[in-house]
Amino acid sequence: MKSNSPPPRTVSSFHFRRIYKQTQKTHPPFLGRAIEIMLFFSYFKDLVGREVTVELKNDLAIRGTLHSVDQYLNIKLENTRVVDQDKYPHMLSVRNCFIRGSVVRYVQLPPDGVDIELLHDATRREARGG
Amino acid sequence: MAAGPGLESLVDQTISVITNDGRNIVGVLKGFDQATNIILDESHERVYSTKEGVQQLVLGLYIIRGDNISVVGELDEELDSALDLSNLRAHPLKPVIH
């Protein structure tokens, strides 16, 4: 299994752009999926190593360190804790989990993990057609 | 082509699967594919209720279709054996609403 060493923790525009360009080369747009997904895929790859809380469509909320993400935006979290453990003891003995992209409602991010200007910029570019 | 996380690291481990209808199934992961279809050996379902302790229903060898899977968690055996399931009361998980 490939080991994923987290990238240096700078949310700099340079770093994100590099990952974005890399993703465009290794993952050409696949059938039936919007090119915008590429953007979020790159964005999540940049966030690997940060603490996030994933809220699912069944109202379960799981907090953990983002370990990896894939083209379907499936998320792998490490060191997981369910947010309301008394209400949801179902995952008490689980510390690492794989969350299917299709059941994610929200991914709650650390406020300093978001470079609004950068995302805004990239999204505008996507909307214009790349 | 699929880079990123796979379930490869969890093969032959005991895992806890949460399905879209809110069920919790525990078993040994034997195989998976791109669509997250899963083969689970020695599986049992843990039924949570507020009235009685956790019920464990033995299922055996199962294939769970990927469409129906929410979460695949790696079960930590030590933590799990420390749990007192017969005294655990909880509401069953809600089903997924898209």
Side-chain angles (χ1 to χ4, degrees):
Chain A
M1 193 61 202
K2 296 181 270 198
S3 66
N4 277 336
S5 58
R9 213 74 60 68
T10 53
V11 188
S12 67
S13 54
F14 174 71
H15 190 246
F16 174 69
R17 284 196 210 289
R18 199 199 313 143
I19 293 193
Y20 190 42
K21 291 229 177 339
Q22 232 172 48
T23 312
Q24 286 184 316
K25 288 200 191 96
T26 55
H27 289 76
F30 26 87
L31 300 157
R33 300 201 134 226
I35 297 182
E36 289 75 53
I37 298 197
M38 211 62 64
L39 196 161
F40 282 97
F41 180 22
S42 315
Y43 175 65
F44 281 128
K45 285 206 283 193
D46 194 31
L47 277 180
V48 165
R50 308 296 298 264
E51 267 284 286
V52 295
T53 301
V54 181
E55 185 176 318
L56 305 177
K57 291 177 181 171
N58 61 3
D59 288 352
L60 190 61
I62 304 174
R63 187 168 183 79
T65 313
L66 185 61
H67 174 267
S68 50
V69 68
D70 70 6
Q71 50 180 313
Y72 303 108
L73 303 185
N74 294 331
I75 289 173
K76 237 186 174 184
L77 292 181
E78 297 208 319
N79 226 332
T80 54
R81 292 277 191 285
V82 172
V83 168
D84 193 346
Q85 291 217 296
D86 300 316
K87 193 168 175 200
Y88 300 110
H90 313 75
M91 294 200 24
L92 277 177
S93 19
V94 171
R95 281 293 168 267
N96 299 323
C97 67
F98 168 95
I99 302 173
R100 202 157 191 270
S102 56
V103 294
V104 173
R105 184 187 290 144
Y106 304 125
V107 177
Q108 293 162 9
L109 311 162
D112 60 338
V114 188
D115 185 342
I116 305 270
E117 292 310 320
L118 186 60
L119 280 177
H120 210 162
D121 224 40
T123 317
R124 216 179 294 127
R125 216 170 301 119
E126 287 287 8
R128 224 183 292 138
Chain B
M1 201 237 203
L7 293 167
E8 231 177 291
S9 58
L10 297 175
V11 171
D12 283 327
Q13 309 253 31
T14 306
I15 56 167
S16 172
V17 178
I18 300 184
T19 56
N20 281 5
D21 55 357
R23 280 191 255 206
N24 189 354
I25 303 178
V26 173
V28 178
L29 179 65
K30 284 304 188 190
F32 66 95
D33 70 359
Q34 264 315 299
T36 331
N37 297 324
I38 273 178
I39 300 180
L40 216 51
D41 201 0
E42 299 161 24
S43 59
H44 59 268
E45 180 184 342
R46 289 191 181 168
V47 184
Y48 292 81
S49 96
T50 44
K51 300 213 180 73
E52 41 176 26
V54 178
Q55 265 194 312
Q56 305 216 58
L57 309 166
V58 174
L59 303 171
L61 182 60
Y62 255 44
I63 292 182
I64 307 181
R65 197 177 152 89
D67 292 354
N68 215 272
I69 290 174
S70 300
V71 179
V72 175
E74 181 181 355
L75 204 73
D76 188 324
E77 309 268 6
E78 286 171 28
L79 288 171
D80 202 49
S81 48
L83 284 181
D84 183 7
L85 292 173
S86 54
N87 276 329
L88 200 47
R89 304 275 184 282
H91 281 285
L93 285 168
K94 283 191 256 189
V96 166
I97 311 170
H98 288 283

